[in-house]
């Protein structure tokens, strides 16, 4: 089992940058593929970015490719999402997730952190 706690959300103007973090506790962090998902009001939760156990492979939704970067530090049990060139449509609650097998099918979720991009 793993517990996930996100931090770093907030309010930013369009075109700005923000980094959200997720720190894990419990089972060995390097045993998990990690991902970020988001959910905007009235919409379904969607995949944003994923990273494999050792950080060698990353995956992105088309909507954020080239603007967002996912990374992890296994020594700090932390995964990051660096978000640049933010748009109002990026406004959502961002969730950290951990998966044993497939990053798009998580086994555990964090509680979420709000990111709001003003126009």
């Amino acid at each position: 089992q793993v517990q996930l706690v996100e931090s770093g959300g907030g309010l930013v103007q369009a075109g700005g940058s923000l980094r959200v973090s997720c720190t894990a506790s419990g089972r060995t962090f390097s045993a998990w593929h990690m991902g970020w998902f988001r959910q905007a009001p009235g919409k379904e939760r969607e995949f944003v970015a994923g990273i494999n156990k050792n950080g060698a492979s990353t995956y992105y939704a088309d909507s954020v490719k080239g603007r967002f970067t996912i990374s992890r530090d296994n020594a700090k049990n932390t995964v990051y999402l660096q978000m640049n060139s933010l748009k109002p449509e990026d406004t959502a609650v961002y969730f950290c997730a951990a998966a044993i097998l497939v990053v798009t099918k998580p086994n555990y979720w964090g509680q979420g952190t709000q990111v709001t991009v003003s126009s």
Side-chain angles (χ1 to χ4, degrees):
Q1 190 161 349
V2 63
Q3 293 77 44
L4 305 171
V5 179
E6 300 98 334
S7 61
L11 174 64
V12 63
Q13 288 190 331
S17 298
L18 200 63
R19 188 177 79 162
V20 290
S21 303
C22 171
T23 300
S25 60
R27 186 174 169 179
T28 304
F29 183 66
S30 58
W32 301 91
H33 302 296
M34 299 298 296
W36 287 96
F37 293 71
R38 66 186 181 187
Q39 187 167 19
K43 295 188 176 181
E44 292 188 354
R45 191 172 299 189
E46 64 176 359
F47 172 78
V48 175
I51 188 166
N52 74 335
K53 296 176 182 180
N54 64 9
S57 298
T58 56
Y59 317 90
Y60 297 94
D62 287 342
S63 58
V64 306
K65 205 170 290 185
R67 300 189 297 121
F68 290 12
T69 302
I70 188 170
S71 61
R72 67 189 296 164
D73 185 338
N74 285 352
K76 295 183 178 180
N77 290 356
T78 301
V79 60
Y80 306 96
L81 185 68
Q82 176 67 43
M83 302 180 287
N84 298 329
S85 302
L86 282 160
K87 305 174 182 179
E89 51 263 44
D90 294 317
T91 295
V93 177
Y94 282 71
F95 296 90
C96 174
I100 280 291
L101 294 178
V102 180
V103 70
T104 53
K105 297 183 185 298
N107 302 94
Y108 295 97
W109 295 91
Q111 84 288 350
T113 185
Q114 177 70 47
V115 172
T116 303
V117 184
S118 63
S119 57

